Amino acid sequence: MSNTYKDLQNSHPCYGGHKNHAGRIHLPVSPGCNIGCRFCDRTINDVEQRPGVSSKLLKPEEALTIIRKALELCPEITVAGIAGPGETLATDYALETFRLIKEHFPQLIKCMSTNGLLLYEKADEIIEVGIDSLTVTVNAVDPEIEAKLNRFVIYHGERYEGVEGATILIENQLRGIKKIADAGITIKVNTVLVPKINGEHIESIAKTVSELGASIYNIIPLIPQYELKDCKEPLCAEIDAARTRASKYIDVFRHCQRCRADAIGIPGEKDFGDQIYQRRISVKNTFSHG
């Protein structure tokens, strides 16, 4: 049986609001993606501090070596997570890695992030490998709004654009969330807040995912880049108002560090990524979506 939401509040840095001083390691084993978010800029570098960025890509077997090194440096690590730098379910590498973690590091909490396009059809595999915590990025539950945030999806080898692609994505996200939640796995939902596009839609997202079984909601302010580089970054008042509206339906997470896809250590306290990956430059703060 997976850890419950209450269990994770004591052992997972995201769910405990970083008050539990738990550590985590993100394993960058997922290279590609299957949707076209208008605000996403995935890259390999040593500098930026945001999701979608890592110093290198790992093979599943290499991830075990990295975990061993990380635990020596930071025994507080309780969570092994995979959040990119691409989409975790677009290839088999993430689930292969979690199978190896289940065998070699059974004490670690297994945490995965996904855009949810393949969530419903991969749900049985997710349950089978023993994922404890699943994050799904849901930026809209209305296809017209989603199409303004996402250009296309690649689904079973076919490209679907605009509202058609958005409809497929949302349907699979919501069906997948329900199936995973019904299996007892704790679900966090992320939404990238773009005030002029989904700002008035946050309450609908929160209500919908809560009814499907999600436990916690993370509203992340847009950093203007890529196709949405001309959009204004949300003001603090806009972020707070969105979180307040969402909190009528679901617990709201307010301490997101928007970690790299290869982050290692205790969020906000210690980071050992430079030592593990021998990064050339210390990481700077250029936050983006999570």
Side-chain angles (χ1 to χ4, degrees):
M1 179 66 181
S2 297
N3 287 272
T4 65
Y5 179 41
K6 187 175 181 180
D7 293 334
L8 292 170
Q9 288 176 314
N10 296 318
S11 55
H12 191 303
C14 291
Y15 293 89
H18 305 161
K19 296 175 184 176
N20 51 32
H21 300 288
R24 50 72 180 107
I25 178 169
H26 287 175
L27 300 162
V29 299
S30 299
C33 197
N34 50 12
I35 71 174
C37 293
R38 298 182 188 273
F39 49 75
C40 183
D41 182 18
R42 290 180 291 111
T43 187
I44 301 292
N45 70 47
D46 291 340
V47 184
E48 294 179 87
Q49 176 65 20
R50 61 174 177 87
V53 175
S54 68
S55 291
K56 63 181 295 187
L57 288 167
L58 300 176
K59 296 177 181 178
E61 296 78 14
E62 292 175 321
L64 296 180
T65 301
I66 295 295
I67 292 173
R68 289 190 186 96
K69 291 179 180 178
L71 287 171
E72 290 176 8
L73 289 171
C74 185
E76 298 95 336
I77 289 173
T78 59
V79 177
I82 302 177
E87 161 55 24
T88 51
L89 296 178
T91 60
D92 293 329
Y93 301 131
L95 293 176
E96 287 177 18
T97 304
F98 281 125
R99 288 189 180 94
L100 291 172
I101 292 170
K102 184 178 181 180
E103 178 182 354
H104 295 277
F105 299 97
Q107 79 278 17
L108 293 179
I109 294 166
K110 294 178 288 299
C111 177
M112 186 173 77
S113 297
T114 176
N115 61 36
L117 178 62
L118 297 177
L119 181 56
Y120 181 74
E121 58 203 75
K122 296 279 189 177
D124 290 335
E125 285 187 75
I126 291 168
I127 295 163
E128 178 263 323
V129 301
I131 299 298
D132 298 284
S133 165
L134 184 76
T135 295
V136 187
T137 298
V138 180
N139 292 321
V141 292
D142 178 336
E144 296 282 348
I145 296 173
E146 177 66 28
K148 296 176 183 178
L149 297 167
N150 181 56
R151 287 181 292 127
F152 64 86
V153 306
I154 304 294
Y155 187 56
H156 296 302
E158 298 291 331
R159 180 182 173 114
Y160 300 91
E161 300 192 358
V163 172
E164 183 181 19
T167 301
I168 293 169
L169 176 61
I170 292 167
E171 180 179 332
N172 289 352
Q173 287 174 332
L174 300 185
R175 291 173 74 202
I177 287 171
K178 185 176 191 310
K179 187 169 183 178
I180 295 293
D182 286 349
I185 296 171
T186 300
I187 292 180
K188 173 166 71 73
V189 169
N190 282 355
T191 294
V192 178
L193 175 62
V194 187
K196 287 191 174 181
I197 298 177
N198 64 358
E200 299 301 318
H201 188 55
I202 294 296
E203 196 167 335
S204 296
I205 301 171
K207 184 174 187 293
T208 299
V209 299
S210 176
E211 289 172 350
L212 293 172
S215 296
I216 190 168
Y217 191 38
N218 184 21
I219 299 169
I220 305 169
L222 172 80
I223 289 296
Q225 60 180 11
Y226 195 43
E227 291 186 10
L228 298 188
K229 64 183 183 297
D230 295 326
C231 287
K232 290 185 177 179
E233 186 173 356
L235 301 171
C236 290
E238 292 173 318
I239 300 166
D240 187 62
R243 288 171 172 167
T244 298
R245 290 195 298 271
S247 67
K248 292 190 287 186
Y249 304 99
I250 190 170
D251 279 355
V252 174
F253 176 43
R254 298 172 183 266
H255 306 281
C256 184
Q257 298 288 310
R258 286 155 287 197
C259 304
R260 286 170 59 99
D262 59 1
I264 299 171
I266 302 173
E269 294 183 28
K270 303 177 187 176
D271 188 274
F272 298 91
D274 289 359
Q275 291 169 252
I276 294 288
Y277 292 106
Q278 299 181 324
R279 292 178 185 145
R280 296 181 301 276
I281 315 169
S282 61
V283 169
K284 69 179 181 180
N285 292 334
T286 51
F287 292 139
S288 180
H289 70 285

